[in-house]
Amino acid sequence: ELIKRAEFNIVTVYAYFQLIFGRVAGYNLLFFFSFILSGFGAYLLAFDFTKSKPAALIAGIIFAFSPFHIHNALGTNVGTMHQEWLPFFVLYLFKFFENLKFRNFVLSGLFLFLIGFTEHQLLAFTVIFILFFLVYKLITEPKLFLRGKFWLYAGTSAIVLSVLFFIMFRSLFTIAGSGNNYLDAGLKSAVKYSNDALSVFVTPPFHSFWPKAFDSLRGQFERRSSSNFSVFVGYSVLLLSLIAILAVRYFKKNKLPSKGIWFWLAVTIGFYVLSLGPYLHYKGVLDPPIK
């Protein structure tokens, strides 16, 4: 059926796994691969920054079992469940900008393609991340953008990825250009479904330790579906991040790795602000609206 419709995405992989291993085994293999590869990718990325295996292991566990991942895995959102290619792409993006090697260029392009192949919404967020990254590099390494080799790679990747993604998402382009464009939900939807300012601090109802800790607060939020609380960051993450920010001088003084702390902080704040949508939600309050 998928071949007849000329579709090729993550659902196609599930279809082939079902044919080879059966419905239950095929699904569970991909389900567990998502957690294993998420943890391994985050481990490699964190190790590249910290040069610490214990720190990288903690990062891998946190990313693999983040509320967002758990929610999408249990909700059977097969696209957004497969977050595993994100850290691999970021790792090789950083490596490519360090030396402009062809190998890192190909690997970063491959993982970007896999993100798009898996879920177009994750691809959209990744494009926003790339914009943050380019601004960061423009500020810290402006001479890099004067190299002809960089622009050769940039032009090549833009052409190749544009062709691939046009082929992959042609059905979405057709819908977007039609009179029945249900992909554009409008401003009201953006307001309703954007995050509450407290969402990142509020545990979801499926939290293992404190499932009912914030019941009354969750009930005040404009959007009362459980996915609104899958953006919970985690108190261990907040604590470790705060320690890292406060200890930057200590790290530098003792020649400990501190690369990327300010970059990741800027990305975190940037995405947090974007997630709030056109109007600020605070404990579900939208009146009076604050743009």
Side-chain angles (χ1 to χ4, degrees), residues 71 204-206 218 223-231:
H71 170 76
F206 55 82
R218 283 196 295 263
R223 184 183 180 193
R224 293 183 175 86
S225 63
S226 62
S227 60
N228 192 48
F229 308 103
S230 64
V231 296

Side-chain angles (χ1 to χ4, degrees), residues 4 7 30 53 58 82 86-87 101 115 121 130 132 147 154 159 166 200 210-211 220-222 228 261 288:
K4 286 178 186 176
E7 287 194 24
L30 290 168
K53 289 183 179 179
I58 292 169
H82 286 282
L86 296 172
K101 282 188 176 179
I115 293 169
Q121 294 183 73
I130 293 171
F132 276 112
R147 296 178 62 178
I159 294 169
F166 180 78
V200 296
W210 306 296
Q220 296 178 50
F221 285 10
E222 175 69 15
N228 192 48
I261 288 177

Side-chain angles (χ1 to χ4, degrees), residues 238-253:
L238 292 169
L239 178 62
L240 290 169
S241 301
L242 182 62
I243 291 171
I245 293 164
L246 296 176
V248 168
R249 288 186 180 180
Y250 173 83
F251 290 154
K252 289 181 178 179
K253 186 178 179 181

